[in-house]
Amino acid sequence: MKVNVIKSVLKANDLVAEKTRQQFRQADVLAINLISAPGSGKTTLLEKTIPALKPEGESIVIVGDLETTRDADRLSPYALAVTQINTGMSCHLYANQVASALDGLPLDKADYVFIENVGNMVCPGEFDLGENLKVVLYSIPEGDDKVAKYPTIFRVADLVLLTKADLQPHMEFDTERVRAEINRLNSTVPILVLSSRDGQGTAAWLEWLRDKRTEAIGQAARFVTE
Amino acid sequence: MKVNVIKSVLKANDLVAEKTRQQFRQADVLAINLISAPGSGKTTLLEKTIPALKPEGESIVIVGDLETTRDADRLSPYALAVTQINTGMSCHLYANQVASALDGLPLDKADYVFIENVGNMVCPGEFDLGENLKVVLYSIPEGDDKVAKYPTIFRVADLVLLTKADLQPHMEFDTERVRAEINRLNSTVPILVLSSRDGQGTAAWLEWLRDKRTEAIGQAARFVTE
């Protein structure tokens, strides 16, 4: 009984997500779903990323949080538009929340959409929001034993960012062990070590975003001509 | 429809939790539900706490994780007994999982039960497991903007531990702001700054545990005589 309810929620969610994905495709937008535990640096990363992408592209941000508009307030100086979704008691975003948020947003003027999910390493991995790609942030101060404990999220990741790398000298964190454990679950996922504070790894992250946007536009063009 | 399902799940959960609480009371045990984001140091704290409590009391640990028995393996050298519950896709423990785990555990020989919940700042706050008290761990490297974003968990906390305080010199983290925000949601909750690495704050934490156990036993005695 309970399982059926969950299955039908997931199915309805996927239908909405697929429509959203078509909207992104038509607008030549790359949509990224950022997933992580609380405090892994999603908002800080976007504060650095959005201005750095400005020469070639504008960004829209959709932020999910239980309460407050803190993250949206921080990002509004940089982004073309920011919408904050307050999820109340829900520990993840649903596709219909993102779809509703898009209604009021200037998607045609945007090149990137960043969806900052609620801080949670479990549930966001199960809910397709219509994004092109899922990026998982795993912050080094969380400790190096988290991969096997949250396997679902690493299995669905298209990129893993090991964040707050500036704190690594003050921690015991075995990056090679973490890389090996991630690639055991997801053999092809790229892993970048990054610090928004000292800037390490951000060039590679920006390059990845630009490449993925180019790919997404190419696929959208093929989709239109087919 | 969906809300009704959730309500009945919560109600069934509370009934089981109440039975568990009675079991704890009869066994003169203090049961603590540890709640936090992933990587805030719950297991490391228990590795330090359980041996420190040994002179006066034995501890049982029930650990929730999606997968792996890593935390249980780490704690088994110190505790009287450890049971790991793998929650699969669920981002929190349910009362019936804890109740089932208790069946096989030597509760009468224990003085403390630590329930290490799944790493998550949202859902564990809604599910009573039968514990006496909820302790929220908030690790300093998560950043100082988390209180208003995860208010439910701070509202139900009986103690907040600001962990990984040894990293504070390498971070921007406004402890006074965090204290004020926690106490705005929960005016009486004590807040301790703690590091399992350099030991600061652990004496106060152990004292809190001992005091709360004495109180719990006192209440149990009154409960029996009434």
Side-chain angles (χ1 to χ4, degrees):
Chain A
M1 173 70 178
K2 221 187 96 208
V3 173
N4 283 340
V5 172
I6 291 166
K7 271 187 191 159
S8 67
V9 168
L10 279 171
K11 201 177 162 190
N13 185 80
D14 286 352
L15 289 172
V16 176
E18 205 41 60
K19 274 201 174 175
T20 300
R21 199 165 355 254
Q22 283 174 28
Q23 271 185 278
F24 289 144
R25 200 186 276 134
Q26 282 158 9
D28 276 352
V29 151
L30 177 72
I32 300 287
N33 184 355
L34 295 168
I35 301 175
S36 77
S40 65
K42 296 187 291 300
T43 311
T44 305
L45 180 67
L46 290 180
E47 281 178 324
K48 305 282 179 178
T49 302
I50 295 169
L53 290 171
K54 274 262 161 136
E56 80 264 14
E58 290 286 346
S59 300
I60 283 175
V61 186
I62 298 170
V63 188
D65 256 319
L66 269 64
E67 288 189 20
T68 83
T69 58
R70 282 189 182 182
D71 290 348
D73 296 343
R74 284 173 59 190
L75 294 170
S76 62
Y78 310 110
L80 185 64
V82 183
T83 294
Q84 179 106 25
I85 299 168
N86 283 150
T87 62
M89 304 283 271
S90 171
C91 63
H92 61 88
L93 286 168
Y94 287 95
N96 61 351
Q97 294 173 315
V98 173
S100 303
L102 283 180
D103 276 348
L105 294 174
L107 206 55
D108 287 336
K109 295 191 186 116
D111 304 283
Y112 297 91
V113 171
F114 294 101
I115 305 167
E116 189 185 323
N117 223 312
V118 180
N120 182 326
M121 287 286 267
V122 186
C123 317
E126 291 168 49
F127 286 82
D128 185 2
L129 304 178
E131 73 278 355
N132 298 98
L133 298 163
K134 287 181 172 72
V135 174
V136 171
L137 281 75
Y138 172 1
S139 92
I140 284 173
E142 288 171 39
D144 59 12
D145 62 339
K146 296 297 171 288
V147 178
K149 294 169 76 174
Y150 300 92
T152 40
I153 214 79
F154 290 99
R155 282 194 192 107
V156 299
D158 296 294
L159 174 70
V160 176
L161 300 177
L162 299 178
T163 61
K164 306 203 181 183
D166 55 286
L167 290 174
Q168 183 151 22
H170 314 292
M171 305 272 314
E172 290 108 47
F173 188 95
D174 184 343
T175 308
E176 289 318 303
R177 171 190 166 180
V178 167
R179 279 184 186 279
E181 291 194 350
I182 293 171
N183 286 139
R184 213 172 295 145
L185 293 168
N186 185 340
S187 61
T188 58
V189 68
I191 301 161
L192 296 177
V193 177
L194 188 140
S195 164
S196 294
R197 211 173 176 203
D198 69 19
Q200 66 175 288
T202 53
W205 154 243
L206 293 170
E207 196 189 329
W208 183 87
L209 283 172
R210 289 179 188 121
D211 287 351
K212 291 299 171 186
R213 177 155 189 270
T214 307
E215 279 176 33
I217 294 175
Q219 281 164 6
R222 277 201 303 279
F223 182 82
V224 169
T225 52
E226 266 162 19
Chain B
M1 173 70 179
K2 222 186 95 209
V3 173
N4 283 340
V5 172
I6 292 166
K7 271 187 190 158
S8 67
V9 168
L10 279 170
K11 201 178 163 190
N13 186 80
D14 287 352
L15 289 172
V16 177
E18 206 39 61
K19 273 201 174 176
T20 300
R21 199 165 354 254
Q22 283 174 27
Q23 271 184 278
F24 290 144
R25 199 185 278 136
Q26 281 159 9
D28 275 350
V29 151
L30 176 73
I32 300 287
N33 184 356
L34 294 168
I35 301 176
S36 77
S40 65
K42 295 186 292 297
T43 312
T44 305
L45 179 68
L46 291 180
E47 281 177 327
K48 305 282 178 178
T49 302
I50 295 168
L53 291 171
K54 276 259 159 137
E56 80 263 14
E58 289 285 346
S59 300
I60 283 176
V61 186
I62 298 171
V63 188
D65 256 319
L66 270 63
E67 288 189 21
T68 83
T69 57
R70 282 188 182 181
D71 291 347
D73 295 343
R74 284 173 59 191
L75 294 169
S76 62
Y78 311 110
L80 185 65
V82 183
T83 293
Q84 179 105 24
I85 299 169
N86 283 149
T87 62
M89 304 282 272
S90 172
C91 62
H92 61 88
L93 286 169
Y94 287 94
N96 62 351
Q97 293 174 316
V98 173
S100 303
L102 283 179
D103 276 347
L105 293 174
L107 206 55
D108 286 336
K109 296 192 184 114
D111 305 283
Y112 296 90
V113 170
F114 294 101
I115 305 168
E116 188 184 324
N117 222 311
V118 180
N120 183 325
M121 287 286 267
V122 185
C123 316
E126 292 168 47
F127 287 82
D128 184 2
L129 304 179
E131 73 276 355
N132 298 99
L133 298 163
K134 288 183 173 71
V135 175
V136 171
L137 281 75
Y138 173 0
S139 93
I140 285 174
E142 287 171 39
D144 59 12
D145 63 339
K146 296 298 169 288
V147 178
K149 294 169 76 174
Y150 300 92
T152 39
I153 214 79
F154 291 99
R155 282 194 193 107
V156 299
D158 296 295
L159 173 70
V160 177
L161 299 176
L162 299 179
T163 60
K164 305 203 182 185
D166 55 287
L167 290 174
Q168 185 152 18
H170 314 292
M171 304 272 315
E172 289 108 50
F173 188 95
D174 183 344
T175 308
E176 289 318 303
R177 171 191 166 178
V178 167
R179 279 185 187 278
E181 291 194 350
I182 292 170
N183 285 139
R184 213 170 297 145
L185 293 168
N186 186 338
S187 61
T188 57
V189 67
I191 301 163
L192 297 177
V193 177
L194 187 140
S195 164
S196 294
R197 212 176 176 198
D198 69 21
Q200 65 176 289
T202 52
W205 155 241
L206 293 169
E207 195 188 329
W208 183 88
L209 284 171
R210 288 177 188 124
D211 287 351
K212 292 298 170 186
R213 179 156 187 270
T214 307
E215 279 177 34
I217 293 174
Q219 281 164 6
R222 277 200 304 280
F223 182 83
V224 171
T225 50
E226 267 163 18

